[in-house]
Amino acid sequence: IARGFQYADGASGGGGGGGGESDSDLKTSLMAQEQAAVEDDDFELAAQIKDSLDRLEVLEAELKEKEDGKKAAVKKRDYDTAGKLSKEVKRLKEEIEIIACGGSGGGGMGQGAAEELSVPAPMINPSYPNLPISSYLNDTLFCKINTAYPGLQLVHEKPYIFIINNFLNQAECNKLLAKVGANMAPSVRSTNTIVRTSTTAIADNSELPAFRARVSQLTNQREEQLQYTKITRYERGQMFGEHLDASAHNDSDVFNNRGKPSQDYYGDRIIAEKGMWTTFNKPCVNRFCTVFVYLNSCEQGGATSFTWMGKHLGENGGDWYENPVSYSTTANKGNAEPKLAVRPEMGMAVIHFPCTAPHAGGYVDFNTTHTGEEAIDEKYIVQQFIYSDRYQLSSTSKDHPKGRLSAENF
């Protein structure tokens, strides 16, 4: 049964669209719907609405603080600060608008319409588990994302894998699809041993301000930690073999001593000692969070499959999530769990954590090894890799944008 938040009288998301109701009206509407859901014994929907109310309260307080700061800066003629705060105000209003649209990220509903509007909420996807997040909240190893984000669904723990239905709406997916075609090039492979046959376009940060801001809101990370955003196309027969999203050190055994025994295959201990140039040589800094979003649905093929879960064991063969260690090619492997195959659904985001946070050693988690299965239907995906601190690229890197992809920003 399709369910959703009902916003009466054109309630808008935080002033995001002209002529709509105020945030207080939105809050009143949400509270009434929460009570109605409780009375209907629909506690799943009631919990979703409560999460939105809690997040709305935080956003309203932050929005007031930024708006007051902007006014004070303008009064002092400190236009540099005013400009920065103006961007923050816009970002906060956009996030409030996401809540007003039930997390779909769609445009504001502030058109002053008198009729009742029905806006789909990001529903729990029945095709996947919906696990309690208490284990993730108590975890001390990984990046801590915004667990109040509407529609967030934990589908696997250890490794932690989340999905969000309707992270992008159809119009937003179409904006990104319009960028496909320009400056497409064969996708970069981390090593020559990985099969990757897709093509990718890389967008300049200025071309995707709203998308990158939304990812920052979801992950609780600064935009300077976000790598350039990639949009990838898989045509029939194309695929991406088993790989990890964390980076290996150039001096690691994955690039050197291939085929020989290795106790630190990806160079975790090298990174802990001297870091990497791309992360300003800060110890233990790596890609520690991945967000990717499917831009179209595929009836056949193209699933993202996590194939190594349970195989990377911890110290002395124990639980890796209790005592993480670098991946050793000679250590015993655990019993592999059944693979988790995520089928492409338009607008659905997938979030996982390729390595631990710097304070936990930056260990690469080989249990997050995954593959882009061979496409039958054409597949489009947007990929956002996030470092645990700011990053840089060499002038010769193939991960630089090659030019503007389309006229319209998102």
Side-chain angles (χ1 to χ4, degrees):
I1 299 174
R3 296 171 297 167
F5 301 129
Q6 308 292 319
Y7 298 102
D9 302 322
S12 77
E21 300 293 330
S22 67
D23 290 341
S24 61
D25 294 320
L26 171 60
K27 186 180 294 184
T28 300
S29 176
L30 286 171
M31 290 174 68
Q33 292 168 57
E34 180 185 9
Q35 182 60 36
V38 170
E39 291 173 357
D40 289 342
D41 280 353
D42 192 345
F43 298 112
E44 181 180 298
L45 180 58
Q48 289 181 16
I49 300 172
K50 178 185 178 297
D51 287 345
S52 293
L53 279 165
D54 291 344
R55 184 61 181 161
L56 182 63
E57 185 174 348
V58 172
L59 291 172
E60 285 177 334
E62 190 174 351
L63 179 61
K64 184 179 185 305
E65 177 186 345
K66 300 297 183 186
E67 286 182 326
D68 290 346
K70 184 179 76 169
K71 290 177 183 177
V74 169
K75 190 173 182 180
K76 294 178 182 178
R77 301 173 75 180
D78 182 358
Y79 300 126
D80 182 56
T81 299
K84 292 177 181 177
L85 289 171
S86 180
K87 290 180 181 178
E88 285 295 300
V89 167
K90 181 180 179 182
R91 176 184 67 80
L92 290 165
K93 286 183 176 180
E94 285 175 348
E95 186 167 355
I96 291 173
E97 192 165 346
I98 289 173
I99 293 175
C101 292
S104 68
M109 294 173 286
Q111 304 300 319
E115 69 272 14
E116 185 177 84
L117 300 179
S118 177
V119 179
M123 301 307 301
I124 297 302
N125 192 319
S127 299
Y128 305 97
N130 180 27
L131 305 175
I133 64 171
S134 54
S135 174
Y136 174 72
L137 292 175
N138 292 327
D139 169 79
T140 60
L141 297 178
F142 296 102
C143 164
K144 278 292 177 281
I145 65 173
N146 175 11
T147 55
Y149 199 94
L152 189 70
Q153 178 178 348
L154 180 63
V155 299
H156 193 279
E157 58 181 22
K158 299 183 178 182
Y160 296 101
I161 303 170
F162 292 90
I163 63 172
I164 301 176
N165 282 326
N166 305 320
F167 182 72
L168 299 179
N169 63 26
Q170 184 173 355
E172 291 165 340
C173 289
N174 288 340
K175 286 183 181 180
L176 291 171
L177 286 170
K179 299 181 181 299
V180 174
N183 299 316
M184 299 292 286
S187 302
V188 175
R189 296 180 294 173
S190 57
T191 74
N192 289 330
T193 60
I194 296 175
V195 176
R196 190 177 191 185
T197 53
S198 56
T199 53
T200 296
I202 302 172
D204 187 78
N205 295 345
S206 63
E207 198 167 343
L208 297 176
F211 174 78
R212 292 171 66 84
R214 193 176 301 177
V215 172
S216 292
Q217 294 160 15
L218 165 63
T219 59
N220 288 326
Q221 306 304 312
R222 306 184 307 276
E223 189 175 341
E224 65 179 354
Q225 297 170 235
L226 276 59
Q227 191 172 319
Y228 287 119
T229 307
K230 298 181 177 183
I231 306 171
T232 298
R233 175 176 61 202
Y234 291 85
E235 298 178 278
R236 185 180 182 89
Q238 294 184 334
M239 63 171 296
F240 192 176
E242 285 189 333
H243 64 281
L244 291 151
D245 288 348
S247 298
H249 198 280
N250 286 339
D251 296 335
S252 67
D253 291 337
V254 72
F255 293 116
N256 308 285
N257 304 322
R258 288 200 189 110
K260 296 181 181 179
S262 173
Q263 305 301 312
D264 185 22
Y265 186 62
Y266 243 54
D268 294 352
R269 298 306 85 215
I270 303 174
I271 297 172
E273 179 181 345
K274 57 184 182 181
M276 294 184 286
W277 183 88
T278 52
T279 54
F280 300 90
N281 299 312
K282 292 185 178 181
C284 305
V285 174
N286 205 330
R287 287 173 169 176
F288 79 150
C289 183
T290 294
V291 178
F292 61 84
V293 188
Y294 300 111
L295 299 181
N296 69 312
S297 299
C298 296
E299 292 296 326
Q300 300 182 78
T304 304
S305 292
F306 293 83
T307 54
W308 256 66
M309 298 187 300
K311 294 179 71 171
H312 189 180
L313 299 177
E315 188 174 348
N316 298 320
D319 184 348
W320 191 89
Y321 299 94
E322 295 295 331
N323 293 293
V325 293
S326 301
Y327 179 71
S328 168
T329 60
T330 61
N332 291 332
K333 307 297 184 293
N335 295 322
E337 300 177 20
K339 73 176 183 180
L340 172 64
V342 183
R343 185 173 62 84
E345 296 183 31
M346 185 187 67
M348 184 170 73
V350 180
I351 307 101
H352 75 275
F353 311 103
C355 72
T356 65
H359 72 265
Y363 291 101
V364 175
D365 182 4
F366 270 67
N367 294 303
T368 64
T369 299
H370 55 285
T371 181
E373 294 187 2
E374 183 175 331
I376 299 175
D377 298 335
E378 196 167 36
K379 180 178 80 170
Y380 296 89
I381 189 170
V382 58
Q383 299 146 301
Q384 187 63 70
F385 303 113
I386 304 168
Y387 286 87
S388 48
D389 209 323
R390 65 193 182 107
Y391 87 105
Q392 62 184 345
L393 291 176
S394 69
S395 59
T396 58
S397 172
K398 295 181 180 179
D399 281 333
H400 280 288
K402 304 298 189 295
R404 191 166 187 87
L405 302 180
S406 72
E408 188 175 9
N409 285 349
F410 167 38

